[in-house]
Structure formats: C-alpha cells, structure tokens
Coordinates of all heavy atoms in Angstrom, one line a residue:
G1 N -10.2 2.0 -12.3 CA -9.6 1.1 -13.3 C -8.6 0.1 -12.7 O -8.1 -0.7 -13.5
V2 N -8.2 0.3 -11.6 CA -7.2 -0.6 -10.9 C -7.8 -1.3 -9.7 O -7.9 -2.6 -9.7 CB -5.9 0.2 -10.5 CG1 -4.9 -0.8 -9.8 CG2 -5.3 0.8 -11.7
V3 N -8.3 -0.5 -8.7 CA -8.8 -1.1 -7.5 C -10.3 -1.5 -7.8 O -11.1 -0.7 -8.3 CB -8.9 -0.1 -6.3 CG1 -9.8 -0.6 -5.2 CG2 -7.5 0.2 -5.8
P4 N -10.7 -2.8 -7.6 CA -12.0 -3.3 -7.9 C -13.1 -2.5 -7.1 O -12.9 -2.4 -5.9 CB -12.0 -4.7 -7.6 CG -10.5 -5.2 -7.6 CD -9.8 -3.9 -7.2
A5 N -14.0 -1.9 -7.7 CA -15.1 -1.2 -7.1 C -15.9 -2.1 -6.2 O -16.2 -3.1 -6.5 CB -16.0 -0.5 -8.1
G6 N -16.1 -1.5 -5.0 CA -16.9 -2.2 -4.0 C -16.2 -3.4 -3.3 O -16.9 -4.2 -2.7
S7 N -14.9 -3.5 -3.4 CA -14.2 -4.6 -2.8 C -14.0 -4.4 -1.3 O -14.0 -3.2 -0.9 CB -12.9 -4.9 -3.6 OG -12.1 -3.7 -3.6
V8 N -13.8 -5.5 -0.6 CA -13.7 -5.5 0.8 C -12.5 -6.3 1.2 O -12.4 -7.4 0.7 CB -14.9 -5.9 1.6 CG1 -14.7 -5.9 3.2 CG2 -16.1 -5.1 1.2
D9 N -11.6 -5.8 2.0 CA -10.4 -6.6 2.5 C -10.4 -6.6 4.0 O -10.4 -5.5 4.6 CB -9.1 -6.1 1.9 CG -8.0 -7.0 2.1 OD1 -7.7 -7.4 3.2 OD2 -7.2 -7.3 1.1
D10 N -10.4 -7.8 4.7 CA -10.4 -7.8 6.1 C -9.0 -8.1 6.7 O -8.9 -8.6 7.9 CB -11.4 -8.9 6.6 CG -11.2 -10.3 6.1 OD1 -10.1 -10.5 5.3 OD2 -12.0 -11.2 6.3
T11 N -8.0 -7.9 5.9 CA -6.5 -8.1 6.4 C -6.2 -7.0 7.3 O -6.5 -5.8 7.0 CB -5.6 -8.2 5.2 OG1 -6.0 -9.1 4.2 CG2 -4.2 -8.5 5.7
P12 N -5.6 -7.4 8.5 CA -5.1 -6.1 9.3 C -3.9 -5.4 8.5 O -3.0 -6.0 8.1 CB -4.4 -6.9 10.6 CG -5.2 -8.2 10.6 CD -5.4 -8.6 9.1
V13 N -4.1 -4.1 8.4 CA -3.1 -3.3 7.8 C -3.0 -2.0 8.7 O -3.7 -1.8 9.6 CB -3.6 -2.8 6.4 CG1 -3.7 -4.0 5.5 CG2 -4.9 -2.0 6.5
C14 N -2.0 -1.2 8.3 CA -1.6 -0.1 9.2 C -1.2 1.1 8.3 O -0.7 1.0 7.2 CB -0.4 -0.4 10.0 SG 0.0 0.7 11.3
H15 N -1.4 2.3 8.8 CA -1.0 3.6 8.1 C 0.5 3.5 7.7 O 0.8 4.2 6.7 CB -1.3 4.8 9.0 CG -2.7 5.1 9.2 ND1 -3.7 4.2 8.7 CD2 -3.3 6.1 9.8 CE1 -4.9 4.8 9.2 NE2 -4.7 5.9 9.9
V16 N 1.3 3.0 8.5 CA 2.8 2.9 8.1 C 3.0 2.3 6.8 O 4.1 2.4 6.2 CB 3.6 2.3 9.2 CG1 3.7 3.1 10.5 CG2 3.2 0.8 9.5
D17 N 2.0 1.5 6.2 CA 2.2 0.8 5.1 C 2.1 1.6 3.8 O 2.5 1.2 2.7 CB 1.1 -0.3 5.0 CG 1.3 -1.4 6.1 OD1 2.4 -1.6 6.7 OD2 0.3 -2.0 6.4
L18 N 1.6 2.9 3.9 CA 1.5 3.7 2.8 C 2.9 4.0 2.1 O 3.0 4.1 0.9 CB 0.9 5.0 3.1 CG -0.7 5.0 3.5 CD1 -1.2 6.3 3.9 CD2 -1.4 4.3 2.3
M19 N 4.0 4.1 2.9 CA 5.3 4.4 2.3 C 5.7 3.4 1.4 O 6.1 3.6 0.2 CB 6.3 4.6 3.4 CG 7.8 4.9 2.9 SD 7.9 6.4 2.1 CE 8.3 7.5 3.5
A20 N 5.8 2.1 1.9 CA 6.1 1.0 0.9 C 5.2 0.8 -0.1 O 5.6 0.4 -1.3 CB 6.3 -0.3 1.8
T21 N 3.9 0.9 0.0 CA 2.9 0.9 -1.0 C 3.1 1.8 -2.1 O 3.3 1.5 -3.3 CB 1.6 1.0 -0.5 OG1 1.3 0.1 0.6 CG2 0.4 0.9 -1.6
F22 N 3.4 3.1 -1.8 CA 3.5 4.0 -2.7 C 4.9 4.0 -3.4 O 5.1 4.2 -4.7 CB 3.4 5.5 -2.2 CG 1.9 5.9 -1.9 CD1 1.7 6.5 -0.7 CD2 0.9 5.6 -2.7 CE1 0.4 6.8 -0.3 CE2 -0.4 5.9 -2.4 CZ -0.7 6.5 -1.2
A23 N 5.9 3.5 -2.7 CA 7.2 3.2 -3.3 C 7.1 2.2 -4.4 O 7.6 2.4 -5.5 CB 8.2 2.8 -2.3
E24 N 6.4 1.1 -4.2 CA 6.2 0.1 -5.1 C 5.3 0.6 -6.3 O 5.7 0.3 -7.6 CB 5.5 -1.1 -4.6 CG 5.4 -2.3 -5.6 CD 4.8 -3.6 -5.0 OE1 4.5 -3.5 -3.8 OE2 4.9 -4.6 -5.7
L25 N 4.3 1.4 -6.1 CA 3.6 2.0 -7.2 C 4.4 2.9 -8.0 O 4.3 2.9 -9.3 CB 2.5 2.9 -6.5 CG 1.5 3.7 -7.4 CD1 0.2 3.8 -6.8 CD2 2.0 5.0 -7.9
L26 N 5.5 3.5 -7.5 CA 6.3 4.4 -8.3 C 7.5 3.6 -8.9 O 8.3 4.1 -9.6 CB 6.9 5.5 -7.4 CG 5.9 6.5 -6.8 CD1 6.6 7.4 -5.7 CD2 5.3 7.4 -8.0
G27 N 7.6 2.3 -8.6 CA 8.6 1.5 -9.1 C 10.0 1.8 -8.4 O 11.0 1.5 -8.9
A28 N 9.9 2.2 -7.2 CA 11.1 2.5 -6.4 C 11.2 1.6 -5.2 O 10.3 0.9 -4.8 CB 11.0 3.9 -5.9
Q29 N 12.4 1.5 -4.6 CA 12.6 0.8 -3.3 C 12.0 1.6 -2.2 O 12.2 2.9 -2.2 CB 14.0 0.5 -3.2 CG 14.6 -0.6 -4.1 CD 14.0 -2.0 -3.8 OE1 13.7 -2.3 -2.7 NE2 13.9 -2.8 -4.9
A30 N 11.3 1.0 -1.2 CA 11.0 1.7 0.0 C 12.2 2.1 0.7 O 13.2 1.5 0.8 CB 10.2 0.8 0.9
P31 N 12.2 3.4 1.2 CA 13.5 3.8 1.9 C 13.9 3.0 3.0 O 12.9 2.4 3.8 CB 12.9 5.2 2.5 CG 11.8 5.6 1.6 CD 11.2 4.4 1.2
A32 N 15.1 2.8 3.2 CA 15.6 2.0 4.4 C 15.1 2.4 5.7 O 14.9 1.6 6.6 CB 17.1 1.8 4.4
S33 N 14.8 3.8 5.9 CA 14.4 4.3 7.1 C 12.9 4.0 7.4 O 12.4 4.2 8.5 CB 14.6 5.8 7.1 OG 13.9 6.4 6.0

C-alpha cells in the first residue's frame, strides 16, 4: 500500500541508510550518532 509493487530504483544506496529511513518513518530525528 506504500511502496509501488514492481518498482526499480538504480540510485546508489547503503545499509547505513536504514537508521535515518526508519527514524523518518517513525516521525523521529535520526540519532546524532
């Protein structure tokens, strides 16, 4: 219902990005650390 099914993104991304992504999902600030 949120991520479009079958979509493809060729942007370079990294595992470290999960922290800030989930923080925004929760409506919180990413930890300064």
Side-chain angles (χ1 to χ4, degrees):
V2 178
V3 170
S7 54
V8 178
D9 193 308
D10 60 3
T11 305
V13 298
C14 188
H15 292 2
V16 293
D17 297 335
L18 290 179
M19 177 67 86
T21 302
F22 289 137
E24 186 174 3
L25 182 151
L26 296 170
Q29 289 291 329
S33 60

